[in-house]
Amino acid sequence: MEGLEFGGASSRLIVLKKSFRSGKTRGIGWRKSQLRALLKLIAENESQIFDALEQDLGKHPVEAYRDEIGVVKKSADHALLHIKEWMAPKRGKLPLLFFPSRAQLLPEPLGTVLIFGSWNFPISLTLDPLIGAISAGNTVVVKPSELAPTCSSLLYRMIPLYLDTEAITIVEGGSDVAEQLLLHQWDKIFFTGSPRVGRMVMSAAAKHLTPVVLELGGKCPVILDSFTGSDLKVVVKRIAGGKWGPCAGQACIGVDYLLVQQKLAPLLIESLKRCIKRFYGDNVKNLQSFCRIVNKHHFDRVCNLLEEPGVAASIVYGGSVDKENLVIEPTILLDPPLDAQIMTEEIFGPLLPIITLDNIEDSIDFINDKPKPLVIYAFTNNEKFKEQIVQETSSGSVTFNDTMIQFICDSLPFGGVGQSGFGRYHGKFSFDTFSHEKAVLHRSFFPELEPRYPPWNDFKLEFIRLAYNLDYIGLLLLLLGLRKVTPR
Amino acid sequence: MDLEREMREVREAFSSGKTKEESWRRSQLQNLLTLMHEKEDHIITALQQDLGKHPVESYRDEVGTLIKSVNYALKGLKKWMSGKKADLPFAAFPSTAYLVPEPLGVVLIISTWNFPFGLSLEPLIGAIAAGNSVVIKPSELAPASSSTLANLINTYLDTKAIKVIEGDASVGQHLLQHKWDKIFFTGNCKVGQLVMTAAAKNLTPVALELGGKCPAVVDSLSSSWDKRIAVDRILSAKFGTCAGQACIAIDYILVDKNFSSTLVELLKEGIERMFGKNPKESKSVAKIINKSHVLRLRSLLDDPMVKASVIHGGSVDEDNLFIEPTILLDPPVNARIMNEEIFGPLLPIITLEKNEDSIEFINSKSRALAIYAFTKNEEFKNKLSSQTSSGSIVFNDAIIQYVADTLPFGGVGGSGFGRYHGKFSFKEFSHKKVIVKRGFLVDFWFRYPPWNDHKLLLFRSAYRFDYLGVLLVILGLKKC
């Protein structure tokens, strides 16, 4: 695996910091030029990107466009459209006592930032944060995931051809390179990945007091309330699309497991089976429009989830694997044991456990027994139940009656809470996450509030008291000598 | 005190859901306000004991500010708690989206000794307003304040959901072993590192309010009124604020060499005017917190070249923990006093060839919580603002930004991350949850496999929000 040696990374970092200090990344002209260059990179190398995603994950070009290329294009377009207003200082309001002062909130770049990409969406989860970092005026080091090597290598070759090499650097490599990078001092670290690695990143960041954003995952549940006729068809498509659609279930916001009332399970399973056959086919050696598992390690990990006692027995559809091609077919399980790994860990694969409940309202307690996920999906038309879910659970977001859709809306902040992480991005939130909002306060020398300073006396204390209570009338009376001063 | 039991209780209080109720939050804030009004004397006495702070300084910096902040939170609470509608692109039709703030859960506030009430209760206001249950760990270096705080909180607030846990570093470490939903830390970098490292084990988000060397750039001012006011504000922001032991106190001054002698004279005169001929007697300059810090500060003056640069003050009364307001003129820039956060009543003045040189000087140091500049030159103000970075930048005043509820208060780089005050406190202790509601009326069939070129084309158009394009493809009028 070619990549930057430690020494190389060190010297590149010096270049980046120098570039930042020179101020070249501050102007809107530079930022816009980089965003346009990124769009050009995507447009001119689309088929190569499709090939790389096919190579690394068996991703179909349409899925690749939908989840990776299209997302990056949309984000860059959105940033270009709005960057001027994002960069503009905001007027700050001030209390009356501050008169005549003015205040501004001025966004500034943080400096030199580090972005760790992930392997499941190796293009979008690497470039989307980069768009935010550039818009905010930072210099950037990006380390794509080595588990998607073709994509990583493509970015390594392409980025220097289009973007400013003195401000944006791609570093390739595995965990050893990541560890080396983490020894340096960064102004922010943006990490997408697993909680385990997230902990290591944050611990390393702590040594330099570097702020971090952790985009982690969790077990994103679907709560399925009862449905009628035609709606059920759409519901099933959306669930299937949200489970097996994104990278064969290897997605942080992908559906992990499903909760449904017992009596509805049979109909649901039948509908899902039909849907799977229609979407992907039913021969594990010849599935269409369906990603494979990223590597042998994860393939074995997911297969092992099915090995536990009781789990294999709960398979009601699928379960076949193609070891040679690292494909696991869409698999449905009905009520696997709740203490099995498949129900205690994030699956990150095409296995869908369906857990049946006596009452669908019990899903709330079920979900609350697990760490807070990135998303909770709920299919229901019961407004009261929707309200209950919102009030009584906690997650990065809640989506009713659909899956995945919140991901592509730039006006919605994307991020987790609890074990699913902290920090957020997309749209303006990306810009904010890579910026520092500086408070700028302009005061004048006149008038002066003498009571602010010693030498102290009772008058001054009374003045301060009235001022903090916003008692302007009292203040006026005091100044006019019409208000008694009570000695302390 | 059984720490485990306290932790269980505070977690149960949150799980019960009561802290989420608006009525609970309001009642706690109301009680906090009552506490401040009724027990003002207790607070002032504790501060006098721990830091020798004058009652009016204590009121100005810790009591009054908190009253203001609680009132502001009570006023804004309903609005802050309510969800906000978010715009969605037409392609998402028919959907609606909301952003709804929710509490994080059980939060830990670690505060420090220089403003033991302010730095514990200001974050507490935000944590309560956001609906969390809270544990406060005050600093043991201000023991009278720590125990007064504990007593007052226990008397006025809901002790099952809001707790004060006193103790030294070992208690602090013990607390850090637990799982929190957020940790809000005010203090120094070294301890900040320990806090963040411990937080990393549980993926707990943290806010770190640290410090730094806050510079004050002083331009030549012509009007005598301006000069007088600038000097008052500088002196108050150094010697008049906990004797310089404040994260936003002026650490050092940068001045044009043509103005330096005028400034020095004005400062000396101002010290006498403000703090009297004998500041120790006037009791208007706070004490140093403890002997260890007195020795630390004294050691900054050990360097013979630093000592030689003292032009006013310099006397250290170790037994009474008092250091008089001290001014130094051009100590060596590589001396410790110019490279560590002073946190005390020693004011170095560094003279420069010209004002603009202050930018490079400031940028050679780690980013501070605040940069101050006393100048009427608009061009210089713009240059300073755009070419330096700091938590905040204040022109022609100092410290005052702390009392503006509408301005976020927090650092950048070495001065920390995260911010609070006013609505920012509420946000710091909340998670803004996204709620998306979709309908079934429109389902874009091209979202699902099996894939083909037709669907690809539709995606291309959809992402460009080229709705007409989408329509044309659907109608078969646009081909791939």
Side-chain angles (χ1 to χ4, degrees):
Chain A
M1 161 75 63
E2 76 167 305
L4 242 40
E5 293 301 317
F6 176 54
S10 258
S11 60
R12 282 241 57 91
L13 194 54
I14 292 174
V15 171
L16 258 48
K17 290 196 173 184
K18 198 158 163 240
S19 283
F20 181 74
R21 268 198 310 272
S22 78
K24 72 142 93 170
T25 62
R26 308 295 295 256
I28 193 172
W30 181 88
R31 305 184 201 193
K32 278 184 138 173
S33 75
Q34 296 305 292
L35 293 172
R36 285 194 197 102
L38 198 56
L39 283 171
K40 203 157 172 247
L41 186 161
I42 301 282
E44 291 179 359
N45 296 283
E46 198 179 90
S47 51
Q48 287 198 51
I49 296 174
F50 282 148
D51 287 342
L53 287 164
E54 163 70 50
Q55 183 99 318
D56 284 338
L57 290 155
K59 220 175 255 207
H60 190 288
V62 181
E63 184 182 329
Y65 190 89
R66 184 195 67 185
D67 293 349
E68 307 236 30
I69 292 178
V71 167
V72 176
K73 279 187 73 172
K74 170 198 60 63
S75 292
D77 282 336
H78 184 89
L80 277 165
L81 195 59
H82 293 281
I83 192 170
K84 190 157 181 213
E85 80 192 56
W86 294 348
M87 282 174 69
K90 273 200 323 248
R91 189 109 176 265
K93 286 198 331 244
L94 288 172
L96 190 58
L97 276 175
F98 274 75
F99 183 84
S101 314
R102 60 191 165 88
Q104 278 183 332
L105 296 179
L106 182 65
E108 357 176 272
L110 292 169
T112 303
V113 305
L114 174 62
I115 295 173
F116 285 108
S118 176
W119 54 258
N120 51 350
F121 298 90
I123 302 297
S124 57
L125 292 183
T126 310
L127 299 182
D128 212 347
L130 176 61
I131 288 169
I134 290 173
S135 314
N138 299 280
T139 52
V140 196
V141 170
V142 181
K143 187 196 147 328
S145 170
E146 73 281 15
L147 298 191
T150 324
C151 288
S152 172
S153 155
L154 183 147
L155 289 174
Y156 183 71
R157 279 179 291 113
M158 293 293 161
I159 295 270
L161 297 179
Y162 290 82
L163 300 184
D164 183 346
T165 52
E166 297 199 329
I168 300 158
T169 293
I170 304 280
V171 175
E172 285 198 278
S175 55
D176 51 337
V177 169
E179 272 165 33
Q180 302 283 30
L181 287 170
L182 286 170
L183 292 174
H184 292 275
Q185 194 262 333
W186 303 92
D187 296 305
K188 186 138 194 174
I189 298 176
F190 187 101
F191 171 82
T192 306
S194 71
R196 189 184 62 89
V197 182
R199 269 182 214 105
M200 295 191 317
V201 170
M202 190 173 169
S203 298
K207 296 194 176 61
H208 295 284
L209 296 169
T210 300
V212 306
V213 169
L214 300 179
E215 295 272 331
L216 311 175
K219 289 180 80 62
C220 300
V222 169
I223 301 172
L224 179 56
D225 200 353
S226 62
F227 273 97
T228 58
S230 62
D231 280 356
L232 179 62
K233 248 181 131 203
V234 177
V235 167
V236 164
K237 277 203 287 188
R238 290 178 178 180
I239 291 173
K243 175 67 184 186
W244 297 289
C247 210
Q250 300 164 101
C252 52
I253 49 168
V255 170
D256 188 280
Y257 66 98
L258 190 146
L259 297 161
V260 70
Q261 203 186 1
Q262 189 155 52
K263 64 178 194 216
L264 296 171
L267 177 59
L268 172 66
I269 292 170
E270 285 316 301
S271 309
L272 278 171
K273 284 182 188 176
R274 278 199 298 273
C275 190
I276 290 170
K277 289 193 180 108
R278 202 170 59 241
F279 282 2
Y280 312 111
D282 55 9
N283 181 351
V284 68
K285 289 234 178 263
N286 193 21
L287 293 169
Q288 301 299 315
S289 311
F290 190 70
C291 286
R292 62 168 168 76
I293 306 301
V294 69
N295 61 18
K296 185 149 192 328
H297 163 78
H298 280 280
F299 179 84
D300 289 339
R301 178 187 64 79
V302 179
C303 288
N304 283 338
L305 294 177
L306 297 174
E307 303 290 303
E308 264 189 88
V311 178
S314 68
I315 297 176
V316 293
Y317 179 85
S320 308
V321 308
D322 176 356
K323 214 169 173 176
E324 199 189 313
N325 295 309
L326 298 180
V327 177
I328 299 175
E329 70 168 324
T331 300
I332 306 174
L333 304 95
L334 180 60
D335 285 321
L338 295 178
D339 57 357
Q341 269 191 313
I342 200 175
M343 283 311 298
T344 59
E345 287 178 15
E346 189 175 3
I347 296 168
F348 231 66
L351 316 177
L352 177 65
I354 295 178
I355 308 294
T356 60
L357 304 166
D358 289 330
N359 301 304
I360 197 60
E361 287 82 15
D362 298 341
S363 53
I364 290 181
D365 283 338
F366 191 99
I367 290 171
N368 286 341
D369 274 341
K370 295 191 183 305
K372 300 179 197 180
L374 205 43
V375 194
I376 292 175
Y377 297 111
F379 288 84
T380 176
N381 279 330
N382 182 338
E383 291 304 317
K384 217 162 147 243
F385 186 43
K386 284 185 193 175
E387 197 49 39
Q388 213 188 341
I389 293 170
V390 170
Q391 292 299 327
E392 297 178 24
T393 64
S394 180
S395 54
S397 59
V398 181
T399 297
F400 289 109
N401 299 330
D402 207 338
T403 53
M404 308 295 290
I405 197 90
Q406 74 278 11
F407 185 77
I408 58 163
C409 295
D410 290 299
S411 55
L412 302 178
F414 182 79
V417 66
Q419 296 294 293
S420 47
F422 51 82
R424 53 206 197 155
Y425 71 129
H426 285 186
K428 179 166 198 275
F429 302 100
S430 291
F431 176 89
D432 289 343
T433 241
F434 287 103
S435 300
H436 163 60
E437 207 173 34
K438 181 162 78 179
V440 182
L441 178 58
H442 293 265
R443 293 272 294 156
S444 75
F445 291 112
F446 185 85
E448 172 63 305
L449 296 179
E450 193 71 36
R452 288 168 61 180
Y453 321 115
W456 299 123
N457 56 45
D458 291 323
F459 175 90
K460 291 188 177 180
L461 177 56
E462 187 69 12
F463 186 100
I464 294 172
R465 210 188 275 285
L466 291 166
Y468 275 128
N469 279 292
L470 304 183
D471 186 353
Y472 299 114
I473 304 219
L475 276 172
L476 192 60
L477 294 174
L478 182 70
L479 288 169
L480 292 175
L482 297 172
R483 188 188 163 105
K484 251 206 173 65
V485 171
T486 39
R488 241 203 128 253
Chain B
M1 170 185 270
D2 181 357
L3 194 60
E4 302 306 316
R5 196 194 63 212
E6 300 295 297
M7 291 300 305
R8 253 195 325 269
E9 225 173 49
V10 87
R11 200 150 267 294
E12 264 157 28
F14 181 74
S15 310
S16 76
K18 74 163 154 178
T19 64
K20 287 178 164 186
E21 304 285 324
E22 185 183 335
S23 55
W24 182 87
R25 307 184 203 194
R26 212 167 267 287
S27 76
Q28 294 307 296
L29 291 173
Q30 208 48 68
N31 292 346
L32 196 52
L33 194 58
T34 311
L35 183 167
M36 299 306 304
H37 282 302
E38 288 181 0
K39 294 294 195 280
E40 180 186 306
D41 284 343
H42 287 66
I43 294 172
I44 287 178
T45 304
L47 288 168
Q48 206 152 24
Q49 246 181 291
D50 284 331
L51 287 153
K53 272 192 207 189
H54 190 284
V56 185
E57 183 184 328
S58 295
Y59 189 91
R60 183 196 66 186
D61 293 348
E62 300 211 53
V63 179
T65 46
L66 288 169
I67 289 174
K68 163 199 68 63
S69 299
V70 178
N71 277 324
Y72 190 82
L74 280 166
K75 201 157 149 238
L77 185 64
K78 205 181 183 89
K79 187 150 177 260
W80 298 349
M81 281 177 69
S82 62
K84 218 170 60 170
K85 200 143 181 249
D87 287 324
L88 289 178
F90 185 69
F93 180 84
S95 319
T96 48
Y98 301 88
L99 299 178
V100 168
E102 38 173 53
L104 294 168
V106 181
V107 305
L108 173 64
I109 295 172
I110 301 175
S111 78
T112 186
W113 50 260
N114 53 349
F115 297 89
F117 292 93
L119 297 179
S120 303
L121 300 177
E122 192 72 54
L124 178 65
I125 292 168
I128 291 174
N132 301 279
S133 62
V134 193
V135 170
I136 301 173
K137 160 80 186 61
S139 170
E140 72 280 15
L141 297 191
S145 302
S146 172
S147 89
T148 302
L149 184 69
N151 284 333
L152 294 178
I153 299 271
N154 282 338
T155 310
Y156 284 81
L157 301 185
D158 179 348
T159 52
K160 290 227 171 353
I162 301 168
K163 293 182 187 292
V164 177
I165 297 186
E166 296 188 81
D168 61 11
S170 64
V171 171
Q173 266 163 31
H174 208 123
L175 282 171
L176 287 172
Q177 300 308 316
H178 284 266
K179 193 172 175 317
W180 303 94
D181 296 300
K182 181 135 192 174
I183 299 176
F184 188 99
F185 170 82
T186 308
N188 68 37
C189 291
K190 203 164 66 94
V191 182
Q193 272 171 357
L194 295 174
V195 170
M196 190 170 169
T197 305
K201 296 193 177 67
N202 291 310
L203 295 170
T204 299
V206 306
L208 300 179
E209 296 274 328
L210 311 174
K213 288 179 82 60
C214 299
V217 181
V218 184
D219 197 357
S220 331
L221 298 165
S222 42
S223 116
S224 54
W225 172 270
D226 291 353
K227 284 194 269 233
R228 156 79 185 256
I229 302 305
V231 160
D232 280 355
R233 291 176 179 179
I234 289 169
L235 291 172
S236 175
K238 178 65 164 186
F239 307 115
T241 305
C242 204
Q245 300 163 101
C247 51
I248 44 171
I250 291 177
D251 188 280
Y252 65 98
I253 287 180
L254 293 167
V255 67
D256 180 328
K257 66 181 198 290
N258 295 321
F259 192 62
S260 63
S261 45
T262 311
L263 179 63
V264 166
E265 284 318 304
L266 290 169
L267 286 171
K268 285 184 181 177
E269 183 192 85
I271 287 175
E272 191 174 316
R273 187 178 61 243
M274 249 189 212
F275 308 112
K277 267 199 160 60
N278 188 337
K280 193 164 27 177
E281 301 282 305
S282 71
K283 296 200 192 318
S284 49
V285 176
K287 290 197 304 212
I288 306 304
I289 184 67
N290 61 22
K291 205 166 206 148
S292 152
H293 277 274
V294 172
L295 295 176
R296 177 184 66 79
L297 286 162
R298 171 188 255 145
S299 76
L300 292 178
L301 300 173
D302 276 345
D303 181 333
M305 287 193 69
V306 174
K307 209 184 204 96
S309 70
V310 173
I311 53 164
H312 182 93
S315 70
V316 175
D317 180 349
E318 209 175 294
D319 295 322
N320 289 309
L321 302 178
F322 190 82
I323 295 178
E324 69 167 315
T326 299
I327 303 178
L328 303 94
L329 184 58
D330 283 320
V333 293
N334 56 6
R336 273 177 57 216
I337 199 173
M338 283 312 300
N339 291 289
E340 291 171 16
E341 188 176 2
I342 296 169
F343 229 68
L346 314 176
L347 179 61
I349 298 177
I350 307 291
T351 58
L352 305 166
E353 288 298 310
K354 55 185 194 308
N355 265 330
E356 281 70 20
D357 295 344
S358 57
I359 294 177
E360 202 183 309
F361 193 99
I362 291 171
N363 286 340
S364 70
K365 300 197 181 303
S366 157
R367 285 171 282 184
L369 207 41
I371 291 175
Y372 302 112
F374 292 84
T375 174
K376 289 181 109 150
N377 183 336
E378 291 303 317
E379 206 192 305
F380 180 54
K381 283 187 194 178
N382 282 332
K383 246 182 136 182
L384 194 58
S385 183
S386 59
Q387 292 180 18
T388 62
S389 179
S390 52
S392 60
I393 183 166
V394 183
F395 294 106
N396 299 329
D397 208 331
I399 309 268
I400 197 90
Q401 73 276 21
Y402 186 81
V403 305
D405 297 292
T406 48
L407 298 181
F409 185 84
V412 66
S415 46
F417 52 83
R419 53 203 200 161
Y420 68 134
H421 287 188
K423 184 169 189 203
F424 302 100
S425 293
F426 177 89
K427 287 185 181 184
E428 193 67 30
F429 288 101
S430 301
H431 163 59
K432 232 192 208 143
K433 184 157 77 176
V434 176
I435 316 287
V436 179
K437 294 185 177 181
R438 288 271 294 163
F440 295 106
L441 191 57
V442 180
D443 194 40
F444 292 121
W445 73 95
F446 59 88
R447 287 174 57 181
Y448 313 109
W451 300 129
N452 54 46
D453 289 328
H454 188 77
K455 292 185 180 180
L456 175 58
L457 193 57
L458 285 166
F459 274 128
R460 280 188 203 280
S461 301
Y463 271 126
R464 282 201 308 271
F465 303 115
D466 179 6
Y467 301 116
L468 185 60
V470 171
L471 192 61
L472 292 176
V473 176
I474 293 170
L475 293 175
L477 296 173
K478 188 168 167 168
K479 292 251 187 300
C480 17

